[in-house]
Amino acid sequence: MFISKTILHQTASVIPAKFIQLIIGISQGWLSPTLNTLRYNSNSNSNSGLSLNTEECSWIASLHYVGRIFGPLISFLLLDKIGRKNLLILSSIVIFSTWIIVWLTRSVRLIYIARFVFGLAVGTTDTVIPIYICENSSSNIRGVFNSILIAFFFLGEILAFVFCTYFEYNTVAIIHVAIGFLIFLSTFLLKETAQFFILNDKYKKAEKNFFWLRGYEANTKKEFEDMKLYLSEQKSKLSFELLKNAEIRKCLRIALISNILILSSGFTAINTLVSIVIPSIDTITSNELTILLGLFQFVGVCMSSYSIDQFGRRPLVLIAAGISTVTHIITASLYYVEEHIEQLPHFAWLIFVSLTTYSVTVAMILLPLSRTIRGEILPQNIKALGCSLTVSLSSIISFVISKIFLLVSEEYGMYVNFFIFSLVSFTLIIYIYIDLPETKGMTLIDIQKFLKK
């Protein structure tokens, strides 16, 4: 009964964060079918009054990544001043506001602005949510919670795929405004972390929140006292001064490189433009195939949420990176043969299977573990800076990949993109094998003690 109660409390504390991931997934999923529909106004089921060329599509697909570069700066400056909860509330307000812009405007430039501002909010939440989850969760369920968050992201994408495929542009925008407003209201139920209160010398509030989440027992009391001692030593040090410490630089290096390589393996571009990448099959449109791919992603993440904390971080990432490498090589080969040698039978189905395998693998393993790794491995006094740098640099990579993906495809061929992605995935295998420590099952304090050794 005790375990069930504490898990219930911890689950309740992250539900609003899951809803934020849902609206982010909706906002991300909106891109692929919408751009496919509005590209040269190729489909008549839109009342948007917009007709987009390749250049405009590439900007709309990538501009939110520019915002994500600067969003973490907001997190770094405010994370330990106004708290994790308040930052997430502000982000939800911004996301809700961007859908009002999309609903009311028919200007491509205003859509550019809306996507950039949306990126600011996503960059903030990408920095804050892993910290919030890891600080409010027990060591045995951190990975599960991050996996469930990813599941909500893909659930949001599926909803957007369906809405954009079967409803008109204006109707979709109104639906998204309504969902965004409800999710904004839910964020007031977030539970501020004990770590934030301790860093601001609010020990009674920290104790109240911590024991509500973890229960009041001997092991949790010891963990709380260890955390107070650890944070009291950490908060007096400036983040930039810590970069002189070799151990701190190692933690920062692992968080940065692992996350950057995962996102550089092509997921951001593929997920944003999948309706354009996958050809239509007989009577099944590319938008409908995108819905099917999204369903596979969602089911995969739901399955992984029950098992991701049963295995080590290192072997799971190595397996996923291996699958990513192989599927990209297969996709590049299929496109090369189709474009330069001969038409392949069942080409569209083969592309669909290869991309779905890759996307499901990333959704099940790499995305939840990338968040978990940076939330676990960074020390408290470098966490805001480290997470901010990680998200900003990852966003730069994501922007470049998403911006040039269509342009490279038109100029050199689709296969070139996937050949590059396969090289990045292979590099990820080598790096994880060499540098990533195993952190499964450790408390955040134990991880730092382990890394110092």
Side-chain angles (χ1 to χ4, degrees):
M1 184 66 182
F2 164 74
I3 296 177
S4 299
K5 184 177 180 181
T6 57
I7 291 177
L8 181 63
H9 284 178
Q10 291 179 51
T11 303
S13 73
V14 302
I15 285 176
K18 297 174 186 177
F19 290 156
I20 294 174
Q21 285 296 107
L22 179 74
I23 192 61
I24 290 174
I26 287 173
S27 302
Q28 183 72 19
W30 174 82
L31 283 173
S32 181
T34 300
L35 294 181
N36 188 44
T37 298
L38 300 181
R39 194 183 184 199
Y40 306 117
N41 204 15
S42 60
N43 204 316
S44 61
N45 72 338
S46 171
N47 66 344
S48 67
L50 293 170
S51 178
L52 305 176
N53 58 37
T54 298
E55 181 70 16
E56 290 168 333
C57 286
S58 68
W59 277 114
I60 293 174
S62 59
L63 262 175
H64 70 281
Y65 291 116
V66 180
R68 285 180 82 242
I69 296 170
F70 300 101
L73 177 62
I74 299 172
S75 302
F76 172 63
L77 295 175
L78 300 179
L79 185 68
D80 290 332
K81 293 181 179 179
I82 70 171
R84 291 78 166 123
K85 174 180 177 177
N86 288 332
L87 267 177
L88 292 176
I89 291 174
L90 288 174
S91 297
S92 70
I93 295 173
V94 172
I95 295 172
F96 165 60
S97 301
T98 61
W99 279 113
I100 295 177
I101 296 175
V102 172
W103 173 31
L104 297 178
T105 186
R106 293 299 181 268
S107 165
V108 174
R109 291 184 178 180
L110 285 178
I111 293 176
Y112 288 167
I113 293 172
R115 296 305 298 179
F116 173 80
V117 173
F118 166 70
L120 288 174
V122 175
T124 303
T125 58
D126 280 355
T127 305
V128 176
I129 286 181
I131 296 174
Y132 178 85
I133 294 296
C134 287
E135 290 181 349
N136 270 359
S137 307
S138 302
S139 59
N140 61 325
I141 54 176
R142 285 196 300 261
V144 172
F145 279 172
N146 276 299
S147 183
I148 293 174
L149 281 170
I150 300 299
F152 270 74
F153 172 84
F154 287 111
L155 175 60
E157 282 203 334
I158 293 171
L159 293 175
F161 293 159
V162 173
F163 295 155
C164 294
T165 300
Y166 298 111
F167 295 101
E168 293 182 336
Y169 181 94
N170 202 48
T171 304
V172 171
I174 294 172
I175 293 172
H176 291 178
V177 167
I179 295 174
F181 179 69
L182 293 175
I183 290 173
F184 156 65
L185 293 179
S186 76
T187 57
F188 290 95
L189 301 175
L190 288 163
K191 196 81 171 177
E192 187 57 82
T193 70
Q195 284 86 340
F196 167 72
F197 285 132
I198 292 173
L199 290 171
N200 289 273
D201 298 323
K202 299 177 180 179
Y203 294 103
K204 289 187 177 180
K205 289 184 177 180
E207 188 172 341
K208 178 182 177 181
N209 282 14
F210 185 84
F211 291 117
W212 184 83
L213 289 166
R214 305 293 182 87
Y216 198 83
E217 286 203 340
N219 60 329
T220 55
K221 285 190 286 185
K222 182 180 184 302
E223 183 180 349
F224 183 74
E225 293 303 320
D226 287 344
M227 183 175 65
K228 280 204 309 184
L229 179 62
Y230 171 72
L231 293 178
S232 65
E233 295 173 351
Q234 298 279 303
K235 65 182 180 180
S236 61
K237 302 177 182 178
L238 294 174
S239 294
F240 289 105
E241 293 177 356
L242 294 168
L243 297 179
K244 299 176 183 179
N245 185 300
E247 295 163 358
I248 295 294
R249 291 200 304 271
K250 178 181 179 180
C251 294
L252 190 59
R253 181 186 72 232
I254 293 170
L256 285 171
I257 296 178
S258 61
N259 278 266
I260 289 172
L261 287 175
I262 287 171
L263 289 178
S264 300
S265 69
F267 180 79
T268 50
I270 294 169
N271 209 49
T272 301
L273 300 165
V274 65
S275 292
I276 297 174
V277 177
I278 298 178
S280 298
I281 302 173
D282 299 328
T283 58
I284 307 176
T285 68
S286 56
N287 281 1
E288 289 171 332
L289 287 172
T290 300
I291 295 173
L292 185 59
L293 184 147
L295 286 171
F296 280 118
Q297 287 178 326
F298 178 68
V299 172
V301 176
C302 289
M303 293 172 58
S304 72
S305 65
Y306 292 101
S307 59
I308 198 163
D309 269 327
Q310 305 301 314
F311 305 96
R313 315 298 193 218
R314 278 172 51 86
L316 282 176
V317 177
L318 287 171
I319 291 169
I323 295 173
S324 174
T325 304
V326 172
T327 53
H328 282 326
I329 291 173
I330 292 172
T331 305
S333 301
L334 289 170
Y335 267 111
Y336 181 82
V337 172
E338 180 74 11
E339 293 173 5
H340 294 279
I341 300 177
E342 61 179 346
Q343 290 187 342
L344 293 171
H346 311 298
F347 169 74
W349 278 116
L350 293 172
I351 292 295
F352 174 77
V353 171
S354 181
L355 288 181
T356 300
T357 303
Y358 164 74
S359 298
V360 171
T361 301
V362 175
M364 288 178 62
I365 301 174
L366 292 181
L367 287 184
L369 283 185
S370 67
R371 289 168 173 257
T372 303
I373 288 168
R374 74 172 181 257
E376 287 180 339
I377 207 166
L378 291 169
Q380 189 68 45
N381 51 4
I382 204 74
K383 191 165 285 187
L385 175 63
C387 285
S388 299
L389 284 173
T390 300
V391 175
S392 291
L393 292 176
S394 300
S395 300
I396 293 172
I397 298 295
S398 299
F399 165 72
V400 172
I401 292 172
S402 300
K403 181 68 179 70
I404 69 173
F405 185 88
L406 289 177
L407 303 177
V408 169
S409 300
E410 290 188 352
E411 185 70 22
Y412 303 104
M414 186 72 75
Y415 70 93
V416 175
N417 287 309
F418 289 96
F419 177 71
I420 295 171
F421 295 156
S422 69
L423 293 179
V424 175
S425 298
F426 184 71
T427 304
L428 177 63
I429 296 174
I430 297 173
Y431 178 75
I432 293 301
Y433 181 80
I434 293 173
D435 211 27
L436 182 68
E438 185 57 71
T439 56
K440 173 184 173 293
M442 297 183 182
T443 68
L444 298 182
I445 306 302
D446 288 340
I447 290 172
Q448 296 310 311
K449 292 177 180 178
F450 170 76
L451 291 172
K452 286 182 179 180
K453 295 179 182 179

